[in-house]
Amino acid sequence: MPLYRSTFSVFIPTPDADADSYISRVGITDLQGRIDIHNFVKELKNAGVYSLLTSIYLCRSRHNAGSGSTLFDLKNAYDLTAVGSPTWSDLGTFYASAGNDYHGSASITQAVAATILQVGCCARTRIIADNQLVMAYDGGSANDNYFKIVHNNSSASQFYVFYTRNSVAYFPTAGTTTNRNSAYQTMQVSMGATVHRQMINGQLVTATLATSKNPINTQTFKLGSASAFQGYIGYANFGTQELTLQQLSDLEMCYNNYIMTGLMR
């Protein structure tokens, strides 16, 4: 069912078992954070999206560990480990050193990457620069990158996904964003067998035919600073199933209603 924007978060009396399990595993004590997570998971399930996602990373301190080196996965599939010195904050995980600070997992191998059909994240950069890789599975050479979510932040002022599948680049550019070094920009993409759907800040900006994927080397899945990115990440997700336009929209709305409240969009 379609979802609609809420301007506040309220307590849902009936707790969700999956939300409870995550909160207990991570040790979340922030009351508003716990309320947010319960509402978020319940609404994802109401929209039929929760089961379609493999991993969900809630990066604000109130929604995750808030300390230590582990960025926990809400779905308990692939927890990420800090490399360098990313820091926690209520604005999201912060990456200050481009190329050195990130969260990653070697468990997300080439074989796992080959099954990924949907990726998304929300980030805010603090610098004016192009080619800021916010989230990536990079096979190590130009013709086997599986996906990169890139924030351009200068004259192009774009936020887009770059794919190389059989040496063909998809989504080399996308819709223009505003307030690009002060506001969070969101990206949700579904890479289906016959069509790709790309949403920027909740708006469909492009759709194009897909071809087979082509990751031929194994590298580390990286969130936060695969290359030039410096800034905050509020959330990220990926899954192995294609999402419809309505499901992408519902996913974005759930994040807006419960996870990114109070932050400039």
Side-chain angles (χ1 to χ4, degrees):
M1 60 179 289
L3 302 176
Y4 301 93
R5 182 181 298 274
S6 171
T7 57
F8 58 91
S9 179
V10 296
F11 181 70
I12 295 180
T14 304
D16 178 86
D18 290 313
D20 263 342
S21 177
Y22 170 73
I23 288 168
S24 177
R25 184 170 73 95
V26 177
I28 297 171
T29 59
D30 183 277
L31 177 59
Q32 185 59 55
R34 293 160 68 101
I35 293 171
D36 293 344
I37 293 164
H38 275 284
N39 281 309
F40 176 66
V41 172
K42 289 172 75 73
E43 287 299 284
L44 282 182
K45 290 181 177 180
N46 287 342
V49 176
Y50 184 81
S51 63
L52 303 180
L53 300 178
T54 301
S55 291
I56 301 172
Y57 302 103
L58 307 180
C59 301
R60 299 178 71 179
S61 293
R62 68 174 70 181
H63 301 139
N64 212 295
S67 64
S69 61
T70 301
L71 179 62
F72 289 93
D73 179 0
L74 174 62
K75 297 295 294 284
N76 199 16
Y78 298 101
D79 293 339
L80 303 182
T81 300
V83 174
S85 301
T87 56
W88 294 95
S89 84
D90 198 47
L91 299 176
T93 43
F94 179 65
Y95 308 87
S97 178
N100 295 314
D101 293 350
Y102 64 89
H103 284 93
S105 173
S107 297
I108 304 174
T109 62
Q110 172 194 351
V112 174
T115 69
I116 293 175
L117 294 178
Q118 191 277 328
V119 294
C121 70
C122 180
R124 191 189 91 187
T125 182
R126 70 171 188 173
I127 61 174
I128 304 298
D130 283 344
N131 300 314
Q132 298 183 60
L133 275 63
V134 182
M135 177 179 174
Y137 182 87
D138 184 348
S141 64
N143 68 346
D144 71 333
N145 296 322
Y146 181 40
F147 68 80
K148 297 178 180 181
I149 296 183
V150 184
H151 194 172
N152 271 5
N153 206 28
S154 59
S155 58
S157 65
Q158 294 163 335
F159 195 19
Y160 62 90
V161 172
F162 175 91
Y163 300 93
T164 301
R165 295 181 166 194
N166 296 333
S167 300
V168 177
Y170 289 91
F171 304 142
T173 60
T176 299
T177 63
T178 58
N179 300 319
R180 54 193 183 274
N181 66 328
S182 61
Y184 289 83
Q185 311 294 335
T186 66
M187 166 72 70
Q188 291 291 343
V189 178
S190 178
M191 305 172 279
T194 59
V195 66
H196 287 188
R197 301 178 180 93
Q198 177 173 273
M199 295 184 72
I200 295 178
N201 297 329
Q203 301 296 316
L204 181 69
V205 295
T206 187
T208 185
L209 294 179
T211 63
S212 60
K213 36 194 179 292
N214 191 40
I216 60 175
N217 292 321
T218 296
Q219 290 254 349
T220 301
F221 170 90
K222 294 181 179 180
L223 179 67
S225 191
S227 182
F229 177 71
Q230 295 184 44
Y232 297 92
I233 294 181
Y235 65 76
N237 57 260
F238 68 85
T240 61
Q241 299 189 54
E242 177 182 0
L243 299 188
T244 66
L245 180 60
Q246 185 62 63
Q247 288 168 335
L248 289 172
S249 179
D250 286 345
L251 176 58
E252 174 74 8
M253 192 63 68
C254 286
Y255 279 122
N256 286 345
N257 283 352
Y258 303 115
I259 301 303
M260 297 301 289
T261 53
L263 301 182
M264 183 175 176
R265 303 296 300 282

